[in-house]
Amino acid sequence: MSSSAIHPQGGQNDRHKGISDPGRNLVDRLFGAALDAVAPCPWSAHTGDHRLTLRSLRAMRASRPLYTPEERARRDSTPWTLVQGILAPIQFIAFGISFVLVLRYLWTGEGATAATVSILVKTGLLYLIMVTGAVWEKVVFGRYLFAPAFFWEDVFSMLVLALHTAYLAAVLAGWGTPAEQMAIALAAYAAYVINAFQFVWKLRQARLEGDRTAQSPPQAMPA
């Protein structure tokens, strides 16, 4: 998409006409500035107008396939895809075991050590899958985080990571009782389940998109 489609006639954007909500403009502008601070210019059509950040993302997600043919080829060829495929179910199993142990401790008051160790293992796996996932995203999409195809999944992953890190900090610093610390862990686990559902849903979308691509008839070669 050319820049003239975004800023026609001297950079004036016709899509700004009719925008009458200053609060929404402020949110879009602040969101764009924060995004550029951590992952500048995530969309090829983004030319620095922060007021268009949220709307540009919505429009791109509606029109852009999850993977371009080149991105799909890189996804299928990189070993980091297999790494993610192995780590994801391992982390989910660790989550399930830890969740049961935490509930057991909160219900009976027994097994504090086992529950704590299980949360630390789950947290370690989360860090591992976050790092390797960022590498995977770099290989496939050319950026370590916040690629358009997985933007909101990555945003929510930051919340999951922050909550797990808060639990780890509480344990290491001795803040709160074990029950209070595990309440943080349960909040982290709730966020993790939502984030896992996001990625499972995106995986389903990718499979459906791949099926449609495979079933579409090949385009005729020009004479």
Side-chain angles (χ1 to χ4, degrees):
M1 179 182 293
S2 66
S3 60
S4 62
I6 300 297
H7 296 286
Q9 299 181 355
Q12 296 297 321
N13 195 322
D14 290 339
R15 285 186 291 181
H16 291 176
K17 297 178 182 179
I19 298 176
S20 59
D21 186 351
R24 181 175 179 179
N25 287 345
L26 178 60
V27 170
D28 283 356
R29 192 175 297 112
L30 292 176
F31 179 87
L35 177 62
D36 277 352
V38 296
C41 195
W43 308 287
S44 58
H46 182 61
T47 57
D49 187 347
H50 299 315
R51 288 172 295 180
L52 293 179
T53 299
L54 293 176
R55 291 189 297 280
S56 297
L57 177 62
R58 296 188 190 104
M60 173 165 278
R61 287 173 65 90
S63 61
R64 183 188 187 278
L66 188 59
Y67 297 98
T68 65
E70 294 79 11
E71 290 166 350
R72 186 176 292 275
R74 290 195 295 269
R75 183 204 66 180
D76 294 342
S77 63
T78 178
W80 293 108
T81 300
L82 177 60
V83 170
Q84 293 297 287
I86 294 173
L87 287 178
I90 290 176
Q91 185 186 200
F92 190 79
I93 292 171
F95 153 75
I97 294 172
S98 181
F99 183 67
V100 171
L101 292 175
V102 169
L103 290 183
R104 174 175 175 267
Y105 168 75
L106 294 176
W107 184 262
T108 67
E110 300 178 354
T113 300
T116 299
V117 170
S118 71
I119 300 172
L120 295 177
V121 170
K122 166 66 175 65
T123 301
L125 288 170
L126 175 67
Y127 282 124
L128 182 59
I129 201 169
M130 286 292 294
V131 171
T132 57
V135 175
W136 175 86
E137 203 163 324
K138 173 66 174 178
V139 171
V140 176
F141 297 105
R143 60 188 311 115
Y144 285 107
L145 285 172
F146 307 118
F150 288 91
F151 181 84
W152 291 114
E153 288 79 8
D154 286 349
V155 168
F156 210 86
S157 291
M158 295 300 103
L159 173 62
V160 176
L161 188 65
L163 288 170
H164 280 76
T165 302
Y167 170 81
L168 185 61
V171 171
L172 295 178
W175 297 331
T177 65
E180 291 170 340
Q181 293 169 357
M182 290 183 192
I184 300 175
L186 287 179
Y189 284 1
Y192 162 75
V193 169
I194 296 173
N195 196 219
F197 177 79
Q198 285 180 300
F199 280 104
V200 169
W201 180 257
K202 192 57 66 72
L203 177 62
R204 179 178 181 274
Q205 286 182 298
R207 287 178 175 173
L208 293 175
E209 185 179 282
D211 290 343
R212 288 194 297 268
T213 301
Q215 293 171 3
S216 62
Q219 297 182 353
M221 295 296 291

